[in-house]
Amino acid sequence: MIAPGSLLAAHDLRKAYGPTPALDGASFSILPGEVVAIMGPSGSGKSTLLHCLAGIIRPDSGVITYRDRVLSDMSDAELSALRRTEFGFVFQFGQLVPELTCVENVALPLRLAGTRRKDAERVALEWMERLEVDGLASKRPGEVSGGQGQRVAIARSLVTSPRLIFADEPTGALDSLNGERVMELLTAMARSANTAVVLVTHETRVAAYSDREIVVRDGKSHNMERAV
Ligand code: ADP
């Protein structure tokens, strides 16, 4: 049922909002270091699947395992600890904290985990250099472009060296040139750190950066053979 060696795997997930099924028997798996795109039209259940996989919402039924631990057996506190230490997140709009500078935003996950400011900001700056946004360290999110903000958000998602990054339409608010740059950097950085990426997108061009695609339709998942 669940592929051996998976980092994260889900089987037969169901989730309904009132009478509407958002997930209707979706399955998923990802190997360590793999980049998997979840595709499908708007309203098909992609975000619901991502939020279930990340332990943000609980499915009505179905099993999700992360490194042999069953998510439904974990308490809310255990799930949030897992999200803080093992997962990174990138959203459509960077969701940076507007009051903090860019380097403080990138350092935030480390600060929340108890790392001292100086050490957290040193690691944050290293990631910002790799994403070519170290020049923006002292700027606030309102002073940088959409593409720059997403690169700052990617630096923030990587700063704790997570095993898995959830990226929900990370290029949805960017033009195609900036979108491609963001995808290049996200996948290159993740691959160099052996971090797996679950990428939700409705754009074929963005999904092309993945190793494998899963299409969601009407809450059901379908594995796609990649055209060559
Ligand atoms: P996608 O990400 O593919 O656009 P979603 O997972 O957001 O799809 O939504 C799947 C279905 O579930 C849609 O019919 C949507 O309207 C419904 N849905 C999603 N979230 C909620 C919610 N919080 N309350 C009610 N209905 C929801």
Side-chain angles (χ1 to χ4, degrees):
M1 272 194 325
I2 285 186
S6 297
L7 178 65
L8 178 75
H11 181 72
D12 200 18
L13 298 184
R14 290 166 200 276
K15 173 82 187 171
Y17 295 101
T20 322
L23 289 181
D24 192 19
S27 295
F28 178 88
S29 70
I30 188 166
L31 298 169
E34 196 181 21
V35 179
V36 175
I38 299 176
M39 297 197 68
S42 179
S44 56
K46 302 184 296 297
S47 298
T48 306
L49 176 58
L50 184 93
H51 292 150
C52 287
L53 295 175
I56 295 168
I57 57 175
R58 290 183 188 268
D60 299 334
S61 66
V63 181
I64 306 170
T65 53
Y66 174 73
R67 300 180 71 209
D68 300 329
R69 297 177 71 187
V70 179
L71 258 53
S72 56
D73 291 346
M74 294 168 73
S75 67
D76 288 345
E78 285 172 324
L79 279 176
S80 75
L82 184 73
R83 284 197 298 271
R84 244 190 349 263
T85 55
E86 307 260 325
F87 298 168
F89 293 90
V90 182
F91 302 97
Q92 180 169 359
F93 302 99
Q95 296 195 349
L96 301 170
V97 181
E99 295 81 12
L100 299 181
T101 63
C102 286
V103 71
E104 286 168 346
N105 266 285
V106 175
L108 192 59
L110 292 174
R111 298 281 291 142
L112 292 173
T115 308
R116 284 178 17 214
R117 173 186 286 272
K118 223 176 98 193
D119 295 334
E121 294 192 357
R122 183 178 41 76
V123 178
L125 259 182
E126 285 168 13
W127 279 106
M128 291 179 81
E129 267 168 38
R130 280 175 222 165
L131 287 147
E132 299 160 15
V133 286
D134 47 312
L136 306 174
S138 58
K139 296 224 182 297
R140 290 187 203 279
E143 299 174 288
V144 308
S145 72
Q148 289 169 331
Q150 275 310 55
R151 278 146 65 180
V152 171
I154 291 168
R156 181 185 56 185
S157 76
L158 286 157
V159 78
T160 55
S161 301
R163 286 176 200 266
L164 180 56
I165 290 181
F166 292 95
D168 194 357
E169 300 275 8
T171 63
L174 303 178
D175 61 48
S176 56
L177 201 64
N178 273 302
E180 294 202 4
R181 186 81 187 116
V182 156
M183 283 313 302
E184 263 166 28
L185 285 166
L186 173 62
T187 48
M189 294 295 128
R191 288 198 166 102
S192 72
N194 199 35
T195 300
V197 179
V198 183
L199 166 71
V200 163
T201 183
H202 61 273
E203 293 180 78
T204 316
R205 186 174 58 77
V206 173
Y209 286 88
S210 68
D211 299 318
R212 188 159 59 82
E213 293 170 24
I214 289 176
V215 173
V216 181
R217 273 201 198 91
D218 300 328
K220 294 183 172 68
S221 56
H222 308 270
N223 287 308
M224 292 297 289
E225 294 299 332
R226 167 130 315 137
V228 281

